[in-house]
Amino acid sequence: MDKSYLLEEFTPNYEKLLAYGFKYNNTGYELQKTLLDTNFYFKIRISNHTFTIDVYDIFTDEQYILFNIQDSIGSYVGKIRAEANALITKILDACFYHTDIKKHITAYISHIFAVKPIYPFTRYPNYYTFKTKENDKWFALIMDVPAEKLKLGQKELISIINLKARLERIQCLVNNTTILPAYHMHKKSWITIVLNKNTNIQQLQNLIVESYALANSTKRNIKSKEDI
């Protein structure tokens, strides 16, 4: 499974990779780690431009293909993915420097959905949006705005992302610190998420996938309530 988009947010410390147990070869750094209570092991490969994790059978060394198929479901493959995500988190914490969350999310969206950012606002060249491939609808808008406009009590610019969400989800998600009522969007259909070190990356990625699905099912664009 390709996790190379993580390198947009995190920079590897190669000495720490070796201390963690990675072995260096001609293509980069590699680690094998057995999954507890299974007949499989993870193989993680990291280089300057790639970050992959795959699953192999201990006895045959054959790759467990379902792990790499995004649409595959089931408790077993779900358990393996959960362990993979936990392992990746540990490696990132132990062996990487944090860089830029906005770059990471931009790279993630481009990688997962094979779409490119669009810059529709001449007045705001740092604002960019993403549209679904199927029906050309917005599902994400990334901006840098003064924190005080979000009532966060600060004056510096902060990065945010607007995503589509169902009303019942919005009511549960908004906490007025990291997830806010939508900034310059319909508050019954969108939410705003602050992009900083406190961002829950896994939750954000799930919300992005949900936003894409909602935009795909929308028959018309839900426009901003105010001019940006």
Side-chain angles (χ1 to χ4, degrees), residues 35-69:
L35 283 80
L36 295 177
D37 302 321
T38 73
N39 294 325
F40 294 102
Y41 65 91
F42 289 121
K43 182 180 289 187
I44 303 98
R45 300 182 181 93
I46 297 171
S47 69
N48 288 335
H49 305 291
T50 60
F51 189 138
T52 62
I53 179 168
D54 295 294
V55 179
Y56 292 85
D57 188 288
I58 290 175
F59 301 106
T60 65
D61 282 334
E62 292 182 351
Q63 193 170 357
Y64 181 53
I65 301 299
L66 287 179
F67 177 75
N68 291 321
I69 299 176

Side-chain angles (χ1 to χ4, degrees), residues 99-116:
T99 50
D100 189 331
I101 182 67
K102 185 172 78 169
K103 287 184 179 180
H104 161 62
I105 291 303
T106 300
Y108 173 80
I109 293 173
S110 299
H111 175 77
I112 293 297
F113 301 108
V115 294
K116 294 182 179 180

Side-chain angles (χ1 to χ4, degrees), residues 87-124:
L87 177 58
I88 289 172
T89 298
K90 289 180 180 178
I91 292 172
L92 291 175
D93 288 343
C95 307
F96 283 73
Y97 301 114
H98 185 274
T99 50
D100 189 331
I101 182 67
K102 185 172 78 169
K103 287 184 179 180
H104 161 62
I105 291 303
T106 300
Y108 173 80
I109 293 173
S110 299
H111 175 77
I112 293 297
F113 301 108
V115 294
K116 294 182 179 180
I118 300 167
Y119 297 81
F121 308 112
T122 303
R123 185 179 174 186
Y124 299 98

Side-chain angles (χ1 to χ4, degrees), residues 145-158:
V145 301
E148 59 185 346
K149 288 191 174 183
L150 303 173
K151 299 181 180 180
L152 294 179
Q154 305 165 350
K155 292 185 178 180
E156 70 271 16
L157 285 178
I158 61 173

